[in-house]
Amino acid sequence: ATERTYGRIPALKDNLIMPFSEIVERATAHYNKSDNTNWVNVKKLEVATLKDDSKKTVGYMVKEFEMKKAADQYARAAVSKTGSLDMGRLHTYKYNEDLFKKVTTLPGATNHGMVMVVDWSGSMYDNLKGTLSQLFNLVWFCRRTQIPFEVYAFSNNPHVCDDYSLPHYGPNFKAGDLALNNFRLLNFFSNKMTVKDEIAMMEALWMIASYHSGYGYGEGIPTIYPSFLNLGGTPLNDAIIAMMEIVPKFKRDTGVQKVNTIFLTDGASHGTPGVYDYSLDSTTGEHYKITGRLRGNIIITDPKTLKSYEVDGYNMTDGLLRILKDRVPDMNLIGFFIAGSGKSGRVDKRVLYSLQKNLDMDAIMEQVRFINKNKFLAIASKGYDEMYVLPGKGMAVENDGLSDDLVGASKAKLKTAFGKSMK
């Protein structure tokens, strides 16, 4: 028999989430003290330009969303008889048995909510601008459609979690709980934010991305970012466990029927430190200790659903995602994995193989050709409902497609625009 380790999903520690109000206040104060006012003003103008340029894209996303909601509503429509005669059909009584008026009942379309979890690790530095561009578009889309949303970044930056070192997890933790890594969640965006705070947050994050991507001639010397927003490691598994409490609470508080939870990362998670256990020492007395890092077969029990799961210790992310899906019924669970690196951003075959070790190399090479041509790859075998593998480059937001400017355009122009919009 193989050795097994038993662990339990822990409760969240207090003060795990840094609220957006604190982030905005500290980041704004930092940049307001900067002597490089020209660079700061240039970056603020870039955010304003980005917002203006994205209006067409966001508007198109809203149209697509409203059409899908209408289609869903139509598909669930019910037709029933009223019991009143339809006088327009009365003359057909000799050959038509259906002479009653009918009524169509349209149920309300499903209410949606969105929770986005972003990797704030050092390896993201080269992709931060593209990632934030996409993220800002989603925030603006949620605003336009009035969808409740939350955006969290996970980080183990010691400047935000130096009080969270192992094994000090507070009174909520007990023997048998999984021990989590040193990490914290940064609440970057929320539907509860004011528009002023939202823009201030976007400006601060954009300056961090710009600092990492270099700067252009005439912009001035860039201002170094505030230390508490420094990029760190990848405590992805710990963030998934945190979402087991955060997403159900989000669903209860907002009253939405369908939650879309999205994880965006560019690397594998840190390992899990182990499991809490009691230790009794003649000199130090009773205290907690943590077993070694988890490997092999692990049986994880969820105290909320009372289900137990057999999880591979070398690939805990997939197992934890299964537990998260059971915590939140009818949730869409989506993953974005930025796999490309280097100047070209091309995806290496070894990266795809590490994500799908059940495939042979011929199948992997076929996927490499697909992603180089189509700029994405969808995988349905990583714990998510669907996981999209993306090249590092090519994350630009496209504005091509259908728009109101095409009213009265020629057939050829309409055909071209329609073709672009279907990509």
Side-chain angles (χ1 to χ4, degrees):
T2 58
E3 184 178 352
R4 293 185 174 185
T5 305
Y6 292 83
R8 182 174 53 244
I9 297 294
L12 293 187
K13 56 193 175 186
D14 298 330
N15 201 27
L16 174 68
I17 301 172
M18 180 180 285
F20 59 80
S21 55
E22 180 182 346
I23 299 173
V24 168
E25 181 181 356
R26 293 174 63 178
T28 302
H30 174 86
Y31 286 111
N32 283 344
K33 290 188 297 185
S34 172
D35 295 330
N36 308 322
T37 53
N38 183 55
W39 185 83
V40 171
N41 290 333
V42 166
K43 296 305 152 188
K44 288 182 177 180
L45 183 61
E46 286 180 5
V47 173
T49 304
L50 184 66
K51 184 174 184 178
D52 190 57
D53 291 344
S54 71
K55 286 181 179 177
K56 187 184 294 185
T57 300
V58 173
Y60 184 68
M61 290 165 65
V62 171
K63 286 180 184 177
E64 288 284 313
F65 180 72
E66 295 297 340
M67 283 194 295
K68 292 188 181 201
K69 276 209 310 185
D72 174 65
Q73 188 181 42
Y74 179 78
R76 294 186 290 119
V79 179
S80 58
K81 295 178 181 179
T82 63
S84 301
L85 287 171
D86 185 347
M87 302 311 290
R89 297 184 183 183
L90 197 56
H91 67 282
T92 65
Y93 74 95
K94 287 186 177 181
Y95 55 87
N96 184 11
E97 294 181 355
D98 189 3
L99 302 177
F100 292 95
K101 290 181 180 178
K102 294 179 180 178
V103 61
T104 301
T105 304
L106 292 172
T110 304
N111 293 323
H112 289 259
M114 192 176 292
V115 178
M116 292 168 269
V117 189
V118 181
D119 184 347
W120 204 244
S121 65
S123 56
M124 288 283 289
Y125 82 97
D126 198 33
N127 293 312
L128 272 185
K129 271 199 165 181
T131 302
L132 290 178
S133 297
Q134 301 282 12
L135 181 61
F136 294 172
N137 271 268
L138 281 173
V139 170
W140 290 323
F141 163 77
C142 290
R143 287 287 199 187
R144 283 277 303 273
T145 53
Q146 297 184 332
I147 293 175
F149 67 95
E150 298 287 343
V151 179
Y152 299 97
F154 54 86
S155 173
N156 68 349
N157 172 10
H159 292 285
V160 293
C161 40
D162 50 354
D163 293 333
Y164 298 81
S165 302
L166 294 172
H168 305 297
Y169 277 105
N172 293 334
F173 282 70
K174 49 188 178 291
D177 282 349
L178 291 175
L180 303 184
N181 283 291
N182 185 13
F183 86 110
R184 205 169 184 200
L185 296 175
L186 308 172
N187 190 191
F188 279 164
F189 296 102
S190 169
N191 60 281
K192 297 186 286 290
M193 295 177 82
T194 64
V195 175
K196 180 181 177 182
D197 281 351
E198 183 177 282
I199 290 297
M201 181 75 78
M202 289 178 174
E203 290 171 349
L205 298 181
W206 191 254
M207 285 186 238
I208 296 171
S210 299
Y211 182 90
H212 284 295
S213 63
Y215 53 100
Y217 178 77
E219 291 183 356
I221 301 173
T223 299
I224 193 168
Y225 44 83
S227 58
F228 79 99
L229 288 178
N230 193 11
L231 304 176
T234 312
L236 172 60
N237 287 349
D238 310 272
I240 294 172
I241 291 175
M243 289 303 122
M244 293 178 192
E245 284 194 25
I246 292 171
V247 176
K249 185 178 185 303
F250 169 81
K251 188 174 182 180
R252 289 194 305 269
D253 292 346
T254 59
V256 297
Q257 297 164 280
K258 190 86 171 181
V259 179
N260 303 277
T261 303
I262 302 164
F263 286 88
L264 191 149
T265 182
D266 71 337
S269 175
H270 294 328
T272 302
V275 177
Y276 262 129
D277 197 0
Y278 285 118
S279 177
L280 191 60
D281 189 272
S282 58
T283 56
T284 59
E286 186 178 9
H287 62 277
Y288 285 116
K289 69 174 183 180
I290 296 176
T291 63
R293 288 202 174 268
L294 301 179
R295 298 176 176 85
N297 291 332
I298 306 166
I299 308 299
I300 299 178
T301 300
D302 183 355
K304 297 288 186 181
T305 62
L306 301 180
K307 292 183 179 179
S308 294
Y309 304 80
E310 187 168 347
V311 176
D312 179 5
Y314 294 98
N315 189 15
M316 282 193 65
T317 301
D318 292 5
L320 292 173
L321 289 171
R322 290 191 346 247
I323 301 174
L324 175 59
K325 286 172 71 172
D326 283 350
R327 278 273 187 111
V328 192
D330 299 324
M331 172 181 63
N332 282 331
L333 187 56
I334 306 298
F336 286 93
F337 186 87
I338 305 175
S341 59
K343 291 183 179 180
S344 66
R346 294 174 71 88
V347 178
D348 190 273
K349 60 181 180 292
R350 289 169 294 185
V351 175
L352 293 180
Y353 180 72
S354 68
L355 295 173
Q356 309 163 96
K357 292 182 179 177
N358 57 317
L359 297 184
D360 58 36
M361 195 49 66
D362 288 338
I364 294 294
M365 292 308 300
E366 183 65 30
Q367 289 184 343
V368 170
R369 289 188 285 270
F370 181 90
I371 199 171
N372 287 338
K373 178 181 178 182
N374 298 285
K375 307 303 180 189
F376 85 99
L377 176 69
I379 300 176
S381 61
K382 292 300 296 178
Y384 300 99
D385 292 320
E386 201 150 41
M387 179 181 184
Y388 297 97
V389 181
L390 306 174
K393 306 298 178 183
M395 290 184 66
V397 179
E398 294 191 7
N399 293 310
D400 294 333
L402 303 176
S403 70
D404 294 335
D405 299 337
L406 294 169
V407 175
S410 65
K411 288 183 181 179
K413 190 172 182 180
L414 286 173
K415 181 180 177 182
T416 302
F418 187 76
K420 287 182 179 181
S421 74
M422 298 306 291
K423 290 185 180 179

